[in-house]
């Protein structure tokens, strides 16, 4: 993390200035939140009407972080369903040399992880195995270059920003559970999340970005836990297998806060 974020966090500032989805005017830290549904807040069941299908939530961790840092000028450009190509094409317009902080969660949709979950939920063990294998191959072969392109585009536009790449949590506990996905396949899906995070961390480091690992923050609060912070199968289906309000407030937000606290201490 660099001096820009440290300088912006230290002054005592006025009330938080943030507006979905456009930037608010004001002095202080300029923060832009990018990414997919894990950044937009899909799973919290409450969304800004003007965000449409992007499903940006007032309970998403980027909004909570901005609210906790008065004086922040906040731009919320994350969008549910976004791939790395969507991010490059549609989410970078508010980045500039004056941007201090960027957060991003991206890559899961490139690997088709949502479809993998659907297949494993309703398609049976053999179909689940095939879908997982396809995703693993994609993560190994194709995702690294896609992340490189996305991270490079972020750096080109936000040359001085501190960029924090938040990883994805494992989704499941593997004990007894009323779920159509058996324990063995839940373990395999958690391993896919581990692989996704490993690739993401590697490419984030290569770009000079900070990787924030979210997995331990959800321990004992994943799907099939007594106190879940990630939705299991849900209605509407879009809410399924995404962090809920507790997941954003008690897991994702503290992970991001810990990164920024290290800079301001």
């Amino acid at each position: 993390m660099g001096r820009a974020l440290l300088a912006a966090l230290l002054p005592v500032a006025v009330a938080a200035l943030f507006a979905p989805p456009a930037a608010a005017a004001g002095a202080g830290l300029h923060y832009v939140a990018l990414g997919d549904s894990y950044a937009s807040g899909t799973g919290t069941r409450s969304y800004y009407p003007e965000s449409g299908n992007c499903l940006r939530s007032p309970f998403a961790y980027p909004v909570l972080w901005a609210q906790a840092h008065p004086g922040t000028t906040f731009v919320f450009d994350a969008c549910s369903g976004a791939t790395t190509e969507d991010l490059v094409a549609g989410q970078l317009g508010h980045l500039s040399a004056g941007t201090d902080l960027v957060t991003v969660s991206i890559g899961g949709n490139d690997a088709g992880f949502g479809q993998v979950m659907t297949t494993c939920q309703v398609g049976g063990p053999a179909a689940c195995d095939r879908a997982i294998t396809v995703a693993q191959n994609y993560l190994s072969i194709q995702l690294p270059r896609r992340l490189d392109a996305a991270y490079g585009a972020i750096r080109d536009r936000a040359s001085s920003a501190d960029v924090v790449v938040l990883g994805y949590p494992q989704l499941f506990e593997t004990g007894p559970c009323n779920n159509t996905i058996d324990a063995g396949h839940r373990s395999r899906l958690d391993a896919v999340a581990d692989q996704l995070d490993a690739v993401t961390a590697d490419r984030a480091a290569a770009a000079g970005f900070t990787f924030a690992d979210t997995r331990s923050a959800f321990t004992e609060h994943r799907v099939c836990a007594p106190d879940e912070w990630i939705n299991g199968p849900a209605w509407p289906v879009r809410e399924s297998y995404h962090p809920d309000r507790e997941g954003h407030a008690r897991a994702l937000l503290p992970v991001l806060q810990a990164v920024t606290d290290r800079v301001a201490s």
Side-chain angles (χ1 to χ4, degrees), residues 44 63-64 142 151:
T44 64
V63 177
L64 301 179
Q142 298 191 52
Y151 295 162

Side-chain angles (χ1 to χ4, degrees), residues 11-17 25-28 66-67 69-72:
V12 176
V14 296
L17 300 170
Q67 289 174 330
H69 295 82
T72 297

Side-chain angles (χ1 to χ4, degrees), residues 16-80:
L17 300 170
F18 71 96
L29 183 72
H30 182 244
Y31 168 30
V32 180
L34 309 174
D36 57 21
S37 56
Y38 275 68
S40 74
T42 305
T44 64
R45 298 183 178 274
S46 179
Y47 309 105
Y48 296 116
E50 57 267 49
S51 72
N53 290 333
C54 284
L55 300 176
R56 300 184 185 106
S57 173
F59 298 99
Y61 73 82
V63 177
L64 301 179
W65 194 96
Q67 289 174 330
H69 295 82
T72 297
T73 300
F74 176 51
V75 186
F76 198 11
D77 280 338
C79 187
S80 182

Side-chain angles (χ1 to χ4, degrees), residues 37 41 65 91 148 162 201 216 231:
S37 56
W65 194 96
Q91 294 189 25
D148 287 346
D162 294 286
S216 64
N231 297 321

Side-chain angles (χ1 to χ4, degrees), residues 38-197:
Y38 275 68
S40 74
T42 305
T44 64
R45 298 183 178 274
S46 179
Y47 309 105
Y48 296 116
E50 57 267 49
S51 72
N53 290 333
C54 284
L55 300 176
R56 300 184 185 106
S57 173
F59 298 99
Y61 73 82
V63 177
L64 301 179
W65 194 96
Q67 289 174 330
H69 295 82
T72 297
T73 300
F74 176 51
V75 186
F76 198 11
D77 280 338
C79 187
S80 182
T83 64
T84 53
E85 290 182 347
D86 295 329
L87 183 147
V88 172
Q91 294 189 25
L92 306 185
H94 291 106
L95 298 181
S96 71
T99 302
D100 300 297
L101 174 65
V102 177
T103 60
V104 58
S105 302
I106 202 72
N109 290 319
D110 293 72
F113 200 68
Q115 185 57 50
V116 173
M117 293 305 306
T118 299
T119 299
C120 289
Q121 195 74 62
V122 302
C128 182
D129 281 328
R130 290 192 295 271
I132 288 173
T133 298
V134 170
Q136 289 173 322
N137 290 337
Y138 187 96
L139 292 174
S140 296
I141 298 168
Q142 298 191 52
L143 186 62
R145 63 179 176 81
R146 289 179 176 267
L147 290 175
D148 287 346
Y151 295 162
I154 292 170
R155 178 54 73 209
D156 286 346
R157 288 179 174 261
S159 55
S160 300
D162 294 286
V163 182
V164 181
V165 178
L166 280 84
Y168 295 88
Q170 294 177 332
L171 293 178
F172 294 103
E173 308 293 340
T174 55
C177 183
N178 184 22
N179 193 300
T180 59
I181 304 176
D182 62 72
H185 285 90
R186 279 182 266 140
S187 292
R188 284 202 70 192
L189 289 164
D190 283 347
V192 174
D194 290 340
Q195 182 182 359
L196 174 56
D197 280 336

